Amino acid sequence: MYRGTSTSAGIGIGKAAVIKEEELVIRQDKVADAEAEVQRFRDALGKTVEQTEVLAADLAAKVGEKEAEIMQGHLMLLMDPMLTGEIENTIKGEAVCGEYAIETVCNNYAAVFASMDDELMQQRATDMKDIKTRMQQVLQGIHPVDIASLPAGSVIVAKDLTPSMTAGINPANVSGIVTELGGKTSHSAILARALEIPAVVAVSGVLDSIEDGADIVLDGDAGIVIVNPSGIEKSEYEGKRQKFLKEKKELESYIGRPTITKDGIHVELVANIGKPEDVEKVLQYDGEGVGLFRTEFLFMDRTSMPTEEEQFEAYKKAASALKGKPLIIRTLDIGGDKEIPYMGLVKDENPFLGYRAIRLCLDRKDDIYRPQLRALLRASAFGNIKIMIPMVTCIDEIREAKALIEEIKKELDGENTAYNKEIQVGIMVETAAASLMADVFAKEVDFFSIGTNDLTQYTMSVDRGNDKIAYLYSTFNPAVLRSIRYIIRCGREAGIMVGMCGEAASDPMMIPLLLAFGLNEFSMSASAILRARKMITGFSMEELKAVADEAMSFATAKEVEEYMREFIK
Ligand code: PEP
Ligand code: MG
């Protein structure tokens, strides 16, 4: 049995399709005619670009525009004159073959990306290796593995699932994905989730130990992979798979139903999205709107800032698709650990406490914040858009942001450009300071959305990505629970909507407590909505108030968790 990182829910059962690219042999061969070799490289580059364009179109059709952007990113790398110029100079300067020049130049770039302490940059290293291999394959006449023709019931086992490989996946034939590399935010994970294929990533050593054609079962929730399972194991997992599919099917009966507790309290179930195309899934799972659109995804995987026009189109597309349902768009939450190379940010010593989100936006109004706010306001003429500001710590920040919004509104009036004059402006409550000042903030903004991912980190002083101290990172810690309860109380007393868009909003053990505290809106991944609706409609508030009182009487996270686990049983 292997353990890895769970990335895409569900049980996968099938035969291993071990993807090992046909061996490329790269030697430092000398060439007599460097000019001719440069031409050979240019021809291969041209072919690789053509192939990549086809893959991008495939991906756009099968998965979505955002995923196709990954291939657009590859195209940009392939057409980067710095990269290709360096390869050509290496061929000429060292009189070496194209394959070798590509190898050294791309490896250098990949090493720089990989050494950066940032998952996104490390992903860039994978992209660089992906294009390197494809250029070399073209040079050597090697045809890449044709994932599109895998038979039904295949479980892909690969080192890493590169975007170009993923483009070919036919979800009807692929029952699971196992990779040696990757993390929760790697492209393979994002794509597996988009395709709803169960996946486990970061499973070390599988590529050499799993034989092609071996029987595999994998649990995408638990992060478990079993090779050649016994008859008992196989039927156990087949049972789990049937249960997962049955539950998924049964949950469909909750489509079109209101989210109301037994005693008539209505709450909103909305979704978190990262791109306009995600709205399709929100509607499929009957989400009542979008509680968090993480706009930073529009800024990633590209080499320059999206223009006001590009952003306007993206926000308008999401708003129009939602047909009047609320769409809360969060302004750029970037900086510190989430760097974007073209923004020229200096790495902070203490990224989570650093120059990021609203701090950065207010400091770079002209090139970042103003275009984004203009795009948001213009798009507000096409749907029910609300603006949400992340990482707020003091009142001055929200006042300054609101003043800027008012200034832009006047500008738009002057241009006769339509926008929603009553547009709501709210904040993410995700810092300890904002929580402690929630009563004051509640008078300044139109809504709250509690970001428990960060609120837990800042309340417990525990880096949300550090494994060694992960035991402290619990939203069930009484300190975090008190903070959540206080934020909800302040918002309710001021008569504003209080939502939650952190992961806790879909946690079955947390939902009863949040209901009892009076949370109005729960925002989660679209595929979690129906399960939450089923749960909420089964509770009565009276019962939950007593449960919450009991839960809040404990002194440790462990006690609260045990109590809630027992309760939801
Ligand atoms: C949060 O902090 O809870 C949140 C929803 O935002 P992010 O995970 O993007 O920081
Ligand atoms: Mg956050």
Side-chain angles (χ1 to χ4, degrees):
M1 183 168 84
Y2 297 86
R3 279 187 187 277
T5 305
S6 57
T7 39
S8 181
I11 305 290
I13 301 178
K15 298 256 181 234
V18 179
I19 311 288
K20 280 187 188 161
E21 296 287 342
E22 201 176 322
E23 190 111 14
L24 268 169
V25 184
I26 309 298
R27 285 193 308 255
Q28 192 178 358
D29 286 340
K30 289 281 176 193
V31 291
D33 185 349
E35 282 305 328
E37 189 62 12
V38 166
Q39 193 51 51
R40 186 175 157 260
F41 161 69
R42 284 185 188 161
D43 292 344
L45 178 66
K47 265 197 200 148
T48 315
V49 168
E50 271 171 37
Q51 281 180 359
T52 311
E53 281 167 345
V54 172
L55 286 168
D58 259 12
L59 207 49
K62 278 203 205 100
V63 194
E65 290 296 333
K66 172 72 179 74
E67 285 72 16
E69 273 172 28
I70 297 168
M71 300 312 297
Q72 299 295 351
H74 284 196
L75 279 173
M76 262 185 274
L77 287 177
L78 286 167
M79 291 195 261
D80 181 348
M82 250 202 8
L83 179 73
T84 55
E86 238 177 90
I87 294 171
E88 291 185 10
N89 287 340
T90 308
I91 296 175
K92 285 189 248 177
E94 298 178 26
V96 286
C97 64
E99 289 93 321
Y100 184 75
I102 293 169
E103 182 75 14
T104 49
V105 174
C106 291
N107 280 356
N108 282 345
Y109 275 94
V112 173
F113 288 135
S115 69
M116 292 183 189
D117 195 14
D118 176 303
E119 232 176 303
L120 281 167
M121 281 296 106
Q122 288 168 1
Q123 187 59 48
R124 273 268 163 270
T126 311
D127 292 338
M128 186 54 85
K129 286 188 190 146
D130 197 1
I131 63 157
K132 173 188 89 169
T133 308
R134 273 185 296 123
M135 284 192 284
Q136 291 170 330
Q137 281 172 333
V138 172
L139 275 173
Q140 298 200 346
I142 293 174
H143 297 288
V145 182
D146 183 12
I147 287 195
S149 58
L150 288 178
S154 297
V155 172
I156 293 176
V157 179
K159 183 116 199 139
D160 197 4
L161 206 52
T162 60
S164 49
M165 286 156 80
T166 321
I169 286 185
N170 175 358
N173 289 355
V174 177
S175 8
I177 295 170
V178 181
T179 64
E180 282 196 352
L181 304 178
K184 270 198 195 299
T185 58
S186 64
H187 287 152
S188 42
I190 292 168
L191 292 163
R193 277 197 295 270
L195 293 165
E196 292 191 58
I197 299 175
V200 184
V201 302
V203 195
S204 53
V206 275
L207 200 59
D208 288 330
S209 49
I210 297 184
E211 296 212 359
D212 196 57
D215 276 338
I216 304 273
V217 297
L218 67 102
D219 183 336
D221 284 309
I224 288 174
V225 181
I226 302 177
V227 186
N228 293 327
S230 65
I232 294 172
E233 281 171 327
K234 220 171 163 176
S235 58
E236 181 196 333
Y237 277 85
E238 184 53 48
K240 279 190 186 177
R241 193 173 83 93
Q242 291 305 334
K243 190 164 168 252
F244 178 83
L245 295 176
K246 192 163 159 250
E247 270 172 13
K248 202 170 163 210
K249 189 87 200 134
E250 277 169 9
L251 287 172
E252 284 174 14
S253 67
Y254 285 85
I255 291 176
R257 290 214 219 160
T259 313
I260 295 182
T261 61
K262 280 202 239 164
D263 40 1
I265 305 293
H266 174 258
V267 293
E268 261 182 66
L269 277 181
V270 292
N272 295 348
I273 64 168
K275 60 181 193 294
E277 293 77 17
D278 292 344
V279 169
E280 205 181 303
K281 220 162 230 165
V282 179
L283 298 175
Q284 182 194 328
Y285 288 110
D286 198 28
E288 292 158 66
V290 166
L292 168 65
F293 180 166
R294 289 181 163 101
T295 57
E296 48 277 15
F297 287 105
L298 298 178
F299 289 68
M300 290 174 181
D301 276 328
R302 43 186 300 148
T303 51
S304 63
M305 200 107 66
T307 61
E308 176 187 324
E309 212 48 40
E310 284 176 89
Q311 292 188 62
F312 164 69
E313 287 300 335
Y315 306 146
K316 178 181 159 192
K317 189 171 173 187
S320 311
L322 279 161
K323 298 196 174 72
K325 290 184 174 172
L327 167 60
I328 299 182
I329 304 184
R330 176 171 80 182
T331 63
L332 193 61
D333 187 359
I334 207 85
D337 66 321
K338 282 193 235 163
E339 48 185 292
I340 292 190
Y342 57 79
M343 280 196 179
L345 303 173
V346 178
K347 196 151 180 57
D348 276 333
E349 287 270 330
N350 215 336
F352 283 117
L353 305 182
Y355 181 67
R356 52 178 301 201
I358 186 64
R359 303 168 180 188
L360 180 151
C361 287
L362 290 176
D363 189 44
R364 288 184 56 175
K365 288 196 183 103
D366 288 342
D367 67 333
I368 298 178
Y369 218 23
R370 202 176 266 279
Q372 180 167 46
L373 291 172
R374 269 186 65 93
L376 281 172
L377 281 164
R378 286 172 53 206
S380 71
F382 298 88
N384 186 5
I385 290 179
K386 304 178 192 195
I387 298 175
M388 178 154 75
I389 303 175
M391 202 30 210
V392 174
T393 49
C394 15
I395 300 286
D396 316 67
E397 289 165 333
I398 178 71
R399 287 186 183 155
E400 196 177 336
K402 280 173 72 176
L404 182 61
I405 292 171
E406 287 309 311
E407 207 181 297
I408 296 171
K409 282 184 177 176
K410 288 209 180 76
E411 215 171 84
L412 294 174
D413 285 335
E415 298 165 12
N416 261 332
T417 304
Y419 65 92
N420 173 13
K421 292 191 190 327
E422 307 300 321
I423 192 162
Q424 291 193 5
V425 179
I427 55 165
M428 300 257 327
V429 187
E430 55 183 344
T431 64
S435 165
L436 287 165
M437 292 289 280
D439 54 334
V440 184
F441 274 108
K443 296 190 184 88
E444 300 262 345
V445 299
D446 298 312
F447 64 89
F448 282 165
S449 185
I450 306 175
T452 46
N453 305 343
D454 277 320
L455 186 66
T456 306
Q457 142 164 289
Y458 294 127
T459 305
M460 299 303 298
S461 305
V462 54
D463 181 338
R464 66 195 247 192
N466 188 332
D467 280 351
K468 281 200 218 97
I469 45 174
Y471 68 97
L472 283 171
Y473 186 87
S474 169
T475 310
F476 291 94
N477 191 287
V480 185
L481 289 177
R482 284 184 192 204
S483 177
I484 293 172
R485 184 177 59 176
Y486 179 68
I487 298 163
I488 298 174
R489 186 188 299 156
C490 293
R492 296 296 301 258
E493 277 172 12
I496 62 169
M497 185 201 81
V498 187
M500 178 177 286
C501 56
E503 290 305 305
S506 60
D507 185 334
M509 302 210 297
M510 191 59 85
I511 288 175
L513 296 176
L514 299 173
L515 278 169
F517 294 160
L519 193 76
N520 303 115
E521 178 232 53
F522 295 67
S523 194
M524 57 194 71
S525 74
S527 56
I529 286 177
L530 295 175
R531 183 165 291 119
R533 180 170 295 155
K534 179 181 177 193
M535 190 169 195
I536 291 168
T537 51
F539 290 132
S540 79
M541 253 343 179
E542 206 181 292
E543 157 197 38
L544 294 184
K545 289 241 162 77
V547 169
D549 283 347
E550 183 71 15
M552 295 305 279
S553 72
F554 298 115
T556 68
K558 197 160 165 257
E559 286 167 302
V560 181
E561 281 178 46
E562 274 168 13
Y563 175 71
M564 291 311 296
R565 192 171 296 117
E566 201 50 42
F567 170 68
I568 62 161
K569 252 189 198 165

